[in-house]
Amino acid sequence: MDSRKHLLLNSSSIVLLVSLLSSSRALGCALNKTDEYGVAHSILVDPNGQGNFTKIQDAVNSIRNGNNKWIRIQILSGRYMEQVTIIWQKTCIFLDGAGPELTSIERDGHGDLNLDSTFCSQAENIVVRGITFKNCNINVTAGAYGQEIGYVTAQRRDSDSAPGGFVFKNSNFSGSLNAYLGRPWQYPYARVLVYHSYLSEIIKPEGWSADSFVKQKNLIMFSENSCSGPGANTSGRVLWMKNLTSDEVSELTDISYINSDAWLSNLPNYLY
């Protein structure tokens, strides 16, 4: 069973905490060749009430479990103050925003990763375009830190040979409080690469956290490459952060990394 996520973020700005959870493999998603976007149908979300729904989550919930045809959720410009969760049964969804400067999803998260992430996708075959995700004023105290702190990622990878991982390319990391770029979740094999992205001053100098896996920190693969911004200075980074070779970076950032089974050829139109 291939645990690699089929989730594509296209022209989306990642701000603080986005949760992408592992799930079982989804069935292939059928394209509708008679539709401009290649989808079975579109659902319109308009915060002013002129669409099918005013909330993105309501639109997601309206899609039947076990769906195997691409469905486009067109999200008009606006600031959506909500949490969006896509459960594993709701596959083949295309979230299509009006642009990262026009459409944002924001939430004040204060604790558990699953409960308080702005965007949590458990499903495969999910495409996101033209949306900025924000987690405003995350307060993850948990006693140990004694201060407000955030995590951009909490990646779950259950073995060193598992193919999964998060790659952020041409993204913008900003927010209102200090944050680590990532920490492992449940296992010490997390793999995250931040590439060619802008890191604001909210990124902590250490960059990454081993969380409860300090004794196994060398198994964690956290890396940065060709980033800019005040938070991109790596001189204070944890010593166990991996320095990848150019070949390793190319392997992870090439489109083939998420296209090993040619799923991109079956995506809705106008994506890449």
Side-chain angles (χ1 to χ4, degrees):
M1 183 179 295
D2 186 353
S3 62
R4 179 169 295 161
K5 287 296 301 169
H6 279 177
L7 188 148
L8 177 65
L9 297 173
N10 189 327
S11 299
S12 297
S13 178
I14 311 301
V15 185
L16 282 186
L17 185 59
V18 175
S19 173
L20 310 177
L21 307 181
S22 297
S23 68
S24 59
R25 190 172 188 78
L27 296 173
C29 301
L31 285 169
N32 178 7
K33 295 182 179 180
T34 65
D35 180 80
E36 176 185 6
Y37 290 91
V39 300
H41 66 272
S42 293
I43 300 170
L44 180 62
V45 179
D46 181 356
N48 298 314
Q50 301 301 308
N52 302 109
F53 299 96
T54 59
K55 295 288 187 182
I56 300 167
Q57 187 63 58
D58 291 341
V60 170
N61 293 344
S62 73
I63 297 173
R64 69 174 180 85
N65 291 352
N67 168 62
N68 63 353
K69 299 178 180 179
W70 281 112
I71 294 177
R72 174 177 175 245
I73 298 180
Q74 181 184 3
I75 306 167
L76 298 188
S77 56
R79 186 183 181 198
Y80 295 84
M81 301 300 295
E82 60 176 303
Q83 179 188 39
V84 176
T85 298
I86 303 177
I87 61 175
W88 67 269
Q89 298 98 326
K90 295 185 182 296
T91 59
C92 307
I93 296 176
F94 170 22
L95 296 178
D96 191 10
E101 299 83 13
L102 300 174
T103 301
S104 67
I105 304 174
E106 307 180 25
R107 177 177 169 83
D108 289 336
H110 293 86
D112 181 81
L113 176 67
N114 297 334
L115 299 178
D116 289 317
S117 298
T118 300
F119 177 62
C120 178
S121 176
Q122 301 169 2
E124 289 197 350
N125 293 324
I126 303 297
V127 173
V128 180
R129 178 177 73 171
I131 300 172
T132 288
F133 298 95
K134 295 183 180 180
N135 233 141
C136 307
N137 302 319
I138 302 173
N139 181 17
V140 188
T141 54
Y145 298 103
Q147 60 180 333
E148 289 188 341
I149 192 169
Y151 297 89
V152 177
T153 66
Q155 205 267 333
R156 180 185 184 275
R157 184 166 170 254
D158 59 13
S159 75
D160 189 48
S161 60
F166 295 166
V167 177
F168 293 89
K169 183 177 179 180
N170 299 326
S171 297
N172 174 26
F173 296 86
S174 60
S176 59
L177 77 162
N178 290 337
Y180 290 103
L181 285 168
R183 62 180 174 90
W185 182 38
Q186 295 187 347
Y187 299 95
Y189 305 106
R191 177 161 60 183
V192 179
L193 170 63
V194 180
Y195 174 72
H196 222 285
S197 295
Y198 178 86
L199 309 183
S200 74
E201 68 282 352
I202 62 110
I203 301 301
K204 290 179 66 64
E206 303 96 311
W208 308 90
S209 169
D211 203 34
S212 59
F213 299 103
V214 174
K215 293 183 179 180
Q216 299 165 287
K217 59 183 180 293
N218 290 328
L219 299 176
I220 303 169
M221 203 296 287
F222 288 154
S223 186
E224 303 164 51
N225 189 276
S226 302
C227 292
S228 62
N233 185 347
T234 60
S235 62
R237 292 294 194 259
V238 292
L239 297 178
W240 46 268
M241 183 180 80
K242 299 296 190 292
N243 293 313
L244 302 182
T245 66
S246 58
D247 287 343
E248 290 171 328
V249 170
S250 296
E251 178 183 354
L252 291 174
T253 55
D254 189 86
I255 199 68
S256 62
Y257 177 63
I258 62 169
N259 197 38
S260 61
D261 52 4
W263 83 291
L264 289 178
S265 62
N266 201 40
L267 287 179
N269 299 330
Y270 306 116
L271 286 179
Y272 66 97

